[in-house]
Amino acid sequence: MKSVAREGLREVTEMRTHDAGMLRREHAGSEVRLAGFVQRRRDLGGVIFIDLRDRSGIAQLVFRQDISAPSLELADRLRSEYVVCVTGRVVVREAHAINPKIATGEIEVEVTALEILNAAKTPPFLLEDGIDVDEMVRLRYRYLDLRRPEMQRTFRLRHQVMQLVRQFLDARQFIEVETPMLTRSTPEGARDYLVPSRVHPGEFYALPQSPQLFKQLLMVGGFERYFQIVRCFRDEDLRADRQPEFTQIDIETSFLTQAELMSMMESMVAHMVQETLGVTVSLPFQRIPYQEAMARFGSDKPDLRFGMELCDVAPVVKNASFKVFADVLAKGGEVKALVAPGCGSFSRKEIDDLGKFAARYRAKGLAWMVVEETGVRSAIAKFFTEEELSAIVAHTGAKVGDLILFIADQKKVVADALGALRSHLGKQLGLIDESVLAFAWITDFPLVSYDEEASRFVAEHHPFTMPRVEDVPLLDTDPGRVRAQAYDMVLNGYEIGGGSMRIYQRDVQEKMFQTLGFTMEDARSQFGFLLDAFEYGTPPHGGIAFGLDRIIMILAGQSSLRDVIAFPKTASGTDVMVMAPSPVEKKQLETLHLELALETEAAQK
Amino acid sequence: MKSVAREGLREVTEMRTHDAGMLRREHAGSEVRLAGFVQRRRDLGGVIFIDLRDRSGIAQLVFRQDISAPSLELADRLRSEYVVCVTGRVVVREAHAINPKIATGEIEVEVTALEILNAAKTPPFLLEDGIDVDEMVRLRYRYLDLRRPEMQRTFRLRHQVMQLVRQFLDARQFIEVETPMLTRSTPEGARDYLVPSRVHPGEFYALPQSPQLFKQLLMVGGFERYFQIVRCFRDEDLRADRQPEFTQIDIETSFLTQAELMSMMESMVAHMVQETLGVTVSLPFQRIPYQEAMARFGSDKPDLRFGMELCDVAPVVKNASFKVFADVLAKGGEVKALVAPGCGSFSRKEIDDLGKFAARYRAKGLAWMVVEETGVRSAIAKFFTEEELSAIVAHTGAKVGDLILFIADQKKVVADALGALRSHLGKQLGLIDESVLAFAWITDFPLVSYDEEASRFVAEHHPFTMPRVEDVPLLDTDPGRVRAQAYDMVLNGYEIGGGSMRIYQRDVQEKMFQTLGFTMEDARSQFGFLLDAFEYGTPPHGGIAFGLDRIIMILAGQSSLRDVIAFPKTASGTDVMVMAPSPVEKKQLETLHLELALETEAAQK
């Protein structure tokens, strides 16, 4: 190792012969060169011990008066996070000094030469797992946060998942094709991020919300099996679990049936889980039609790690004298119940809190009954006969000590509120086995839904989704009842992927646009190229897109997408490390043929 | 196969049991189901032959009166590019019908059932290789252009290269980390594409020109070995070989020396070439310092497939009485020559054309001499003695019949003009063996160069490039002479990758910013986070970025980047298929706090 004229500035020669974390008893006697960060320093009676950390793990360095003499003074200056390069000899530790907790615990490295490659200030927080630090501080010093072992593990997992997906698809003749990032703004769905053009004054590119049209055009182009792990963008109001840019595993196939595609995709996900977590998932995943999922779980992304299914109590309450239930049913609404096991002991306040929780989902009221040895206790018990109460208890399957919760409302409110209550209670009551990965497919989504505000039908998935063949006649009479050839993959209460078979014929696509209230002129101006493409021999095709960030979040056991994205944005879309977005020079805007239109002059630069 | 209620709209059942191009003699007797495009149809005395094309190749379908009866009428309606699904039996062709030119030439499929999945209009151009079609038409119908075999091959090659690179790096403990696309505008280098923020009025994200800062921060974050195949953006005036968005194989490492990194990278490229083209490249690549490359080839990306090196003739002309040469040398310029073998027979017009060519590179004149049996023929011969002429011929190594070309000018003009002449003549004279892949590293680039317009030094690579240690003192006295720890990989006259070791200490980085004329305030406001990061223990690090598009272009034998990008932009940055960029609604701009500032009202929407 060459010495340096100027500390830390060196024409570098080889800095490392071994990874620190890989040293074992069999290396004893070897001369090694290691490089990495100082994890900690201890000084025991003139002997200095350093835990040296590199990406592979930790090795203990020891500086002794005799052999390390030339470096001892330098070693005394080492502090946490200093970057060093050392030469030394691997020795087996004395029996009492062996540390079985670390992989290199049987050895240490007696240092003969030390070079400080870089010094370090004291980090603003401890670089270890389980820290309780304001997330803004972690994000501002992201380059330090990333040194923490759990972050290193998360991004290695993310890397591994990406490679596994690619290998799986490559082995099945999929090819990865890159689609444009600078593309065209489309009116449907979420807001686009726009990119002004310098060369074409007054015109804009849009960043893709997904490569949907391009992947369909690749099928028209005869590629048959396409994938891409691709960045997508949505300028939405951000919630805790959204990011303005996110990564999609994007897939499209030709000449495969929906069943063939779903089967291949669940194998891919099972393979990913097997190889990363060592968990074997049984195949095929259960298929649950959308209507069934909504009926049983009040959700199209049910958490299947626990039961507590919704129960339609209309048959046992419709003839009772409780007017609230009867009225709702008479108006075409629903009355459904949820049995909270063992919650008969809930206080009035606890039950009221559940009512407030349900109100967030627009439920006007939450009725309840407690099943006791002696009968049913409830504020509404008086509106029912003993026989009716027994029938309700029997119908819901509630047992003594259970709490039955009722919501009577429009179908959607009942599903949303009871579905949310189910998830809430599932967590609160500890019904969820965190070690389980509960996968399922939700199928047969509605093709369109009526948007009251826009006074028209809007696509539930996107306007290129194929209806189920037997439902096509309904497009003319009752579009809301048409089922789509669309499917979501769900895992533990999250949607992790969604896809559909696509319309591949121009006349069907035109009919779909009509259903959505597009004039043919609108359709042509937005999607003319796709309608054109459909005239030149488009194969039957369909695909899916998985949310990579969400998948990694679940597999890594994290609760925030920000913990699985290397440089994430905050909830206001800000990168607090580089400080983006930021004001730009006026002349940059001039070049782009733009002026700011700010409400206050003061905000202008 | 289920029959359809409505032609082409079907609840799809399995469409394919075999890939058409994979059928062989051993499949004879099997019942198969195939799906794909009609390549062509021939009708021979009531027997219809169809070439069915799918991604794997072509198989011949035959419809005979007897066995194909129910489908015969439908088969008669087939035209090129129709999409079909057929059931039939593989049979061995009669001996006279065997076609050795195609992989499936020994068999054909006797069709028993045919379904037309989709019809097709006649494509606007032939979907085959070697077509001579206006590129605008190809781009407008890109989804058809992509069906051509050479396009399919190119994108399969591109896919293969991407997977090979990832596997190579994965095996060497690199991990793939995704860096942000919505980031901060920086003032150096090419123009950024800006993305207005809706949430932060008057502020903008920028699309990355490269993930440079983020990859360095990943090294600060302890990842040690990072890679990403990543989209980058430059809003430059586009030339034939530029695209506004392009793909980079982006790599960064810690604790490796420049030599170690270069060695690993050339192995990666050699592996890529071996696996895709079956070409063995010998390692290590030759290393040519920048100054030497400029001196010998007049280029920092020399085409090494042929010789024809530049020759410095100053030693043999400096004392001659030819004033033009002497004056240039006296003023510190250069006089260099290029020998064009066998070009002594060039006409005056041919030589004049070379002079015009050189003038494009700002050369004020191109002198020449022809070596003949009897001596030197030249308009400037009279300014030299016989001895001087002989010395010139001997010094340049020219032989009888050769043409010697001279440029006397400032160093940079001489290099540019003679370098360009060398490439031009190399191609014109057929000196280039197209089957050769000539790799090299160019090293020791200048760290900075003086920008007359800006009256300051600017970074040649980028401001984070490490100077060579022995040249550091020159930063204070003669920055233009400082060599950088920077290296480019060149192939056949193209730069395919470029990288450097990075400055990793805050004080060196600050010194570099000073050299570039940044005030510390500028530096802090632009790169404060990086300067901060350098204080918390930054390892020595360095990396490289390869231009994937360029590499694929060379490996695929294409001459335009547009032929290796699935959906490229034209020279004006337009996607002529989807028509992007495009005007957007006024309310979209309002949401983004922007107004158009167009020169003419008429241009406004």
Side-chain angles (χ1 to χ4, degrees):
Chain A
M1 198 166 29
K2 197 179 135 201
S3 166
V4 264
R6 195 174 160 297
E7 183 186 303
L9 181 63
R10 61 206 292 275
E11 196 82 47
V12 278
T13 50
E14 191 182 36
M15 281 174 272
R16 186 186 277 170
T17 56
H18 291 73
D19 290 324
M22 295 294 132
L23 294 178
R24 297 290 181 275
R25 187 180 273 271
E26 63 261 32
H27 295 99
S30 307
E31 165 141 314
V32 297
R33 200 169 300 158
L34 307 176
F37 297 89
V38 172
Q39 177 80 6
R40 62 177 188 147
R41 183 184 61 107
R42 281 162 303 152
D43 195 333
L44 296 176
V47 180
I48 297 174
F49 293 92
I50 299 286
D51 283 349
L52 180 76
R53 184 189 75 231
D54 70 14
R55 206 171 61 131
S56 66
I58 284 178
Q60 177 166 291
L61 310 179
V62 56
F63 293 80
R64 299 186 199 283
Q65 294 287 358
D66 45 359
I67 46 174
S68 312
S71 302
L72 213 53
E73 196 188 347
L74 207 55
D76 197 47
R77 286 161 51 191
L78 294 179
R79 297 292 177 272
S80 285
E81 303 307 318
Y82 271 45
V83 184
V84 299
C85 174
V86 298
T87 308
R89 204 166 55 87
V90 179
V91 296
V92 176
R93 297 190 198 185
E94 288 176 44
H96 72 273
I98 284 176
N99 179 356
K101 285 188 221 152
I102 62 170
T104 61
E106 289 193 289
I107 58 91
E108 59 192 9
V109 177
E110 288 182 341
V111 176
T112 52
L114 162 69
E115 184 178 0
I116 297 178
L117 297 172
N118 221 337
K121 292 202 301 194
T122 304
F125 51 89
L126 281 176
L127 305 187
E128 56 188 40
D129 288 351
I131 51 170
D132 179 21
V133 174
D134 178 5
E135 194 185 7
M136 283 297 160
V137 176
R138 287 178 50 208
L139 289 175
R140 177 158 148 59
Y141 296 96
R142 189 62 161 184
Y143 44 85
L144 298 178
D145 194 33
L146 289 171
R147 288 187 195 163
R148 296 190 305 114
E150 90 181 299
M151 298 298 268
Q152 294 272 328
R153 279 195 304 275
T154 295
F155 288 97
R156 253 185 249 195
L157 172 71
R158 187 171 177 126
H159 163 77
Q160 201 189 349
V161 166
M162 289 196 284
Q163 309 317 314
L164 286 167
V165 165
R166 292 202 185 91
Q167 283 154 22
F168 182 95
L169 294 170
D170 181 60
R172 283 155 188 79
Q173 282 78 54
F174 281 77
I175 79 164
E176 188 168 1
V177 181
E178 295 157 273
T179 55
M181 292 280 135
L182 295 173
T183 179
R184 182 186 172 89
S185 185
T186 55
E188 287 286 293
R191 284 190 204 92
D192 288 321
Y193 279 102
L194 296 183
V195 183
S197 163
R198 179 176 55 81
V199 179
H200 303 276
E203 301 193 355
F204 295 79
Y205 302 99
L207 300 179
Q209 295 183 29
S210 92
Q212 184 63 35
L213 297 176
F214 291 104
K215 70 176 173 174
Q216 292 194 241
L217 289 169
L218 288 171
M219 295 304 104
V220 180
F223 280 98
E224 298 194 8
R225 295 186 178 194
Y226 144 91
F227 79 99
Q228 191 182 190
I229 299 185
V230 62
R231 204 71 54 83
C232 300
F233 304 85
R234 279 185 204 155
D235 186 9
E236 290 177 309
D237 294 309
L238 304 170
R239 301 192 312 244
D241 61 347
R242 289 271 176 86
Q243 285 279 314
E245 49 180 311
F246 55 96
T247 302
Q248 206 163 277
I249 303 171
D250 197 48
I251 287 167
E252 194 78 10
T253 63
S254 298
F255 300 119
L256 285 185
T257 63
Q258 177 175 337
E260 287 170 322
L261 179 61
M262 287 167 70
S263 167
M264 193 185 278
M265 292 298 104
E266 64 192 12
S267 297
M268 180 178 85
V269 172
H271 175 67
M272 177 199 297
V273 167
Q274 181 75 56
E275 295 297 313
T276 55
L277 304 186
V279 172
T280 305
V281 179
S282 65
L283 293 175
F285 296 169
Q286 56 176 310
R287 270 79 169 148
I288 309 177
Y290 170 84
Q291 294 295 358
E292 181 188 331
M294 294 306 289
R296 291 172 55 196
F297 306 102
S299 170
D300 59 0
K301 45 189 183 201
D303 190 336
L304 301 170
R305 290 175 296 178
F306 66 107
M308 235 177 114
E309 297 190 14
L310 279 51
C311 175
D312 184 354
V313 293
V316 287
V317 303
K318 65 170 185 271
N319 297 319
S321 51
F322 187 45
K323 209 168 162 320
V324 177
F325 285 2
D327 282 358
V328 164
L329 291 172
K331 283 188 212 146
E334 286 187 339
V335 183
K336 297 183 81 167
L338 190 66
V339 176
C343 298
S345 56
F346 268 23
S347 67
R348 177 55 70 100
K349 174 159 189 319
E350 282 174 302
I351 295 177
D352 282 352
D353 285 347
L354 294 179
K356 283 178 198 153
F357 181 88
R360 283 192 236 157
Y361 299 87
R362 295 180 299 131
K364 286 183 288 290
L366 180 71
W368 56 271
M369 295 181 180
V370 170
V371 186
E372 298 186 327
E373 292 282 358
T374 53
V376 167
R377 174 166 61 83
S378 169
I380 58 169
K382 60 190 167 196
F383 300 108
F384 297 89
T385 64
E386 281 300 325
E387 289 71 31
E388 285 167 348
L389 290 172
S390 298
I392 290 169
V393 171
H395 188 73
T396 60
K399 301 201 169 31
V400 170
D402 289 353
L403 171 69
I404 312 176
L405 300 166
F406 300 86
I407 291 179
D409 217 312
Q410 294 168 44
K411 187 172 174 177
K412 183 163 167 33
V413 173
V414 170
D416 288 353
L418 279 184
L421 270 175
R422 174 179 177 272
S423 297
H424 178 71
L425 287 166
K427 282 174 203 135
Q428 186 181 330
L429 303 177
L431 303 178
I432 297 171
D433 180 347
E434 297 286 349
S435 73
V436 168
L437 295 174
F439 287 99
W441 287 105
I442 310 299
T443 63
D444 294 336
F445 279 83
L447 183 71
V448 296
S449 63
Y450 195 75
D451 181 330
E452 299 288 347
E453 205 172 314
S455 302
R456 65 176 182 92
F457 284 97
V458 294
E460 279 284 298
H461 194 56
H462 54 57
F464 317 108
T465 302
M466 180 77 101
R468 282 190 56 163
V469 171
E470 61 268 45
D471 292 355
V472 167
L474 290 171
L475 276 177
D476 293 318
T477 56
D478 192 357
R481 280 182 52 215
V482 176
R483 290 165 301 168
Q485 295 185 37
Y487 34 85
D488 280 359
M489 190 185 284
V490 300
L491 167 58
N492 294 358
Y494 291 103
E495 177 208 327
I496 60 167
S500 66
M501 304 309 288
R502 323 300 183 186
I503 298 170
Y504 61 95
Q505 285 199 309
R506 180 166 174 152
D507 58 347
V508 180
Q509 187 66 67
E510 287 180 354
K511 183 157 199 67
M512 180 66 179
F513 282 136
Q514 279 164 24
T515 303
L516 299 177
F518 279 52
T519 65
M520 275 330 289
E521 196 189 2
D522 288 346
R524 276 220 66 78
S525 88
Q526 290 297 334
F527 302 111
F529 58 99
L530 191 67
L531 296 175
D532 285 348
F534 282 169
E535 300 205 296
Y536 290 103
T538 299
H541 61 289
I544 191 166
F546 292 95
L548 179 66
D549 308 303
R550 179 68 47 79
I551 290 173
I552 303 299
M553 187 185 90
I554 299 170
L555 298 188
Q558 297 289 346
S559 56
S560 162
L561 291 177
R562 290 187 297 277
D563 283 334
V564 301
I565 294 172
F567 300 102
K569 306 280 191 295
T570 65
S572 72
T574 305
D575 180 331
V576 295
M577 182 183 66
V578 305
M579 291 313 288
S582 66
V584 297
E585 303 283 334
K586 196 159 188 306
K587 70 169 192 253
Q588 276 178 281
L589 293 185
E590 280 166 13
T591 310
L592 298 174
H593 323 286
L594 291 177
E595 276 172 13
L596 296 185
L598 301 181
E599 294 192 2
T600 60
E601 281 294 313
Q604 254 173 302
K605 203 190 178 184
Chain B
M1 201 167 27
K2 198 179 135 203
S3 164
V4 264
R6 198 173 157 294
E7 183 187 302
L9 180 64
R10 59 206 294 275
E11 196 82 46
V12 277
T13 49
E14 191 181 36
M15 279 173 273
R16 186 186 278 169
T17 56
H18 291 73
D19 290 325
M22 294 296 133
L23 295 178
R24 299 288 182 276
R25 185 181 274 269
E26 62 261 34
H27 294 99
S30 307
E31 165 141 314
V32 296
R33 199 171 299 157
L34 306 176
F37 296 89
V38 172
Q39 177 80 6
R40 63 177 187 143
R41 184 183 62 108
R42 282 162 303 152
D43 194 333
L44 296 176
V47 179
I48 297 173
F49 292 93
I50 299 286
D51 282 350
L52 179 76
R53 184 189 76 232
D54 69 15
R55 204 170 62 130
S56 65
I58 283 178
Q60 177 166 290
L61 310 179
V62 55
F63 294 80
R64 298 187 199 282
Q65 294 287 356
D66 44 359
I67 45 171
S68 312
S71 303
L72 212 54
E73 196 189 347
L74 207 55
D76 198 47
R77 286 161 50 190
L78 294 180
R79 297 292 177 274
S80 286
E81 303 308 316
Y82 271 46
V83 184
V84 299
C85 174
V86 298
T87 308
R89 205 166 54 88
V90 179
V91 296
V92 176
R93 296 190 197 185
E94 289 177 43
H96 72 273
I98 284 175
N99 179 354
K101 286 189 223 153
I102 62 170
T104 62
E106 290 192 288
I107 58 90
E108 59 192 9
V109 176
E110 289 182 339
V111 177
T112 51
L114 162 69
E115 183 178 358
I116 297 178
L117 297 172
N118 222 338
K121 293 202 301 195
T122 304
F125 51 88
L126 281 176
L127 305 186
E128 57 189 40
D129 288 350
I131 52 172
D132 178 22
V133 175
D134 179 5
E135 194 185 8
M136 283 297 161
V137 176
R138 286 178 51 208
L139 290 175
R140 176 157 148 59
Y141 296 95
R142 190 61 161 183
Y143 45 86
L144 298 178
D145 194 32
L146 289 171
R147 288 187 195 163
R148 295 189 305 115
E150 86 180 304
M151 297 299 267
Q152 294 272 327
R153 279 195 304 274
T154 294
F155 289 97
R156 253 184 253 196
L157 172 71
R158 187 171 177 124
H159 163 76
Q160 202 190 349
V161 166
M162 289 196 283
Q163 309 318 313
L164 285 168
V165 165
R166 292 202 186 92
Q167 284 155 21
F168 182 95
L169 294 170
D170 180 62
R172 283 155 188 79
Q173 283 76 54
F174 281 76
I175 79 164
E176 189 168 1
V177 181
E178 294 157 272
T179 54
M181 291 281 132
L182 295 173
T183 180
R184 183 186 172 90
S185 185
T186 55
E188 288 285 292
R191 284 191 204 94
D192 288 322
Y193 279 102
L194 297 182
V195 182
S197 164
R198 177 176 56 80
V199 179
H200 303 276
E203 301 193 356
F204 295 78
Y205 302 99
L207 300 179
Q209 295 182 31
S210 92
Q212 184 62 36
L213 297 176
F214 291 103
K215 71 176 175 175
Q216 291 194 243
L217 290 170
L218 288 171
M219 295 304 105
V220 180
F223 280 97
E224 297 193 9
R225 296 186 177 194
Y226 143 92
F227 80 99
Q228 191 182 191
I229 300 185
V230 61
R231 204 70 54 82
C232 300
F233 304 85
R234 278 183 206 161
D235 187 9
E236 291 177 309
D237 293 311
L238 304 171
R239 301 192 310 245
D241 62 345
R242 288 273 175 86
Q243 285 278 315
E245 48 181 312
F246 54 97
T247 301
Q248 206 162 279
I249 303 171
D250 197 49
I251 286 167
E252 193 78 9
T253 63
S254 297
F255 300 118
L256 285 186
T257 64
Q258 176 174 339
E260 287 169 324
L261 179 62
M262 287 168 70
S263 166
M264 194 186 277
M265 293 299 104
E266 65 192 11
S267 296
M268 180 179 85
V269 172
H271 174 68
M272 178 199 296
V273 168
Q274 181 74 57
E275 294 296 312
T276 55
L277 304 186
V279 173
T280 305
V281 180
S282 65
L283 293 175
F285 296 169
Q286 56 176 309
R287 270 80 170 148
I288 309 176
Y290 170 85
Q291 294 295 359
E292 181 187 332
M294 294 306 290
R296 290 171 56 196
F297 307 101
S299 170
D300 60 359
K301 45 189 184 204
D303 190 336
L304 301 170
R305 291 174 295 177
F306 66 106
M308 238 178 112
E309 297 190 13
L310 280 50
C311 174
D312 184 353
V313 293
V316 288
V317 303
K318 64 170 183 273
N319 298 320
S321 52
F322 186 46
K323 209 170 163 319
V324 177
F325 286 1
D327 283 358
V328 164
L329 290 172
K331 283 189 212 148
E334 288 187 341
V335 183
K336 298 183 81 167
L338 189 66
V339 176
C343 298
S345 56
F346 270 22
S347 67
R348 178 55 72 100
K349 173 157 189 318
E350 283 175 302
I351 294 178
D352 282 352
D353 285 346
L354 294 179
K356 284 178 198 155
F357 181 88
R360 284 192 236 156
Y361 299 87
R362 295 180 298 130
K364 287 183 286 290
L366 180 72
W368 57 271
M369 295 181 182
V370 169
V371 186
E372 298 185 329
E373 292 283 358
T374 54
V376 167
R377 172 167 61 82
S378 168
I380 58 168
K382 58 189 169 199
F383 300 109
F384 297 89
T385 65
E386 282 301 324
E387 291 69 29
E388 285 166 348
L389 289 173
S390 298
I392 290 169
V393 171
H395 188 74
T396 60
K399 304 208 165 29
V400 169
D402 290 351
L403 171 70
I404 311 176
L405 300 166
F406 299 87
I407 291 180
D409 217 313
Q410 293 167 44
K411 186 173 175 177
K412 182 163 166 39
V413 173
V414 171
D416 287 353
L418 278 185
L421 269 174
R422 174 179 177 272
S423 296
H424 178 72
L425 286 166
K427 282 173 202 136
Q428 186 183 328
L429 303 178
L431 302 178
I432 296 171
D433 181 347
E434 296 287 349
S435 73
V436 168
L437 295 173
F439 287 98
W441 288 104
I442 310 300
T443 62
D444 294 335
F445 280 82
L447 184 71
V448 296
S449 64
Y450 195 75
D451 181 329
E452 298 288 348
E453 205 172 314
S455 302
R456 65 175 182 93
F457 284 97
V458 294
E460 279 284 297
H461 193 56
H462 54 57
F464 317 109
T465 302
M466 181 78 100
R468 282 190 56 164
V469 171
E470 61 269 44
D471 291 355
V472 167
L474 290 171
L475 275 176
D476 293 318
T477 56
D478 193 356
R481 280 182 51 216
V482 177
R483 290 165 301 169
Q485 294 185 37
Y487 33 86
D488 280 359
M489 190 186 285
V490 300
L491 168 58
N492 293 358
Y494 291 103
E495 177 210 326
I496 60 167
S500 65
M501 304 309 287
R502 323 299 184 188
I503 298 170
Y504 61 94
Q505 285 199 308
R506 182 169 173 148
D507 58 346
V508 180
Q509 187 64 65
E510 287 180 354
K511 180 155 202 68
M512 180 66 178
F513 281 136
Q514 279 164 25
T515 303
L516 299 176
F518 280 53
T519 65
M520 276 328 290
E521 196 189 3
D522 288 347
R524 276 220 65 78
S525 89
Q526 291 298 332
F527 302 110
F529 57 98
L530 191 67
L531 296 175
D532 285 347
F534 283 168
E535 300 205 296
Y536 290 102
T538 298
H541 61 289
I544 191 166
F546 292 94
L548 178 66
D549 308 303
R550 179 69 44 79
I551 290 174
I552 303 299
M553 187 185 90
I554 300 170
L555 297 189
Q558 297 291 345
S559 55
S560 163
L561 291 177
R562 290 187 296 278
D563 283 334
V564 301
I565 294 173
F567 300 102
K569 306 280 191 295
T570 64
S572 71
T574 304
D575 180 330
V576 295
M577 182 183 66
V578 306
M579 292 312 288
S582 65
V584 298
E585 304 283 333
K586 197 161 188 308
K587 70 170 193 254
Q588 277 179 279
L589 293 185
E590 280 167 12
T591 309
L592 298 174
H593 323 285
L594 291 176
E595 277 172 14
L596 295 185
L598 301 181
E599 295 191 1
T600 60
E601 281 295 312
Q604 258 176 298
K605 201 190 177 184

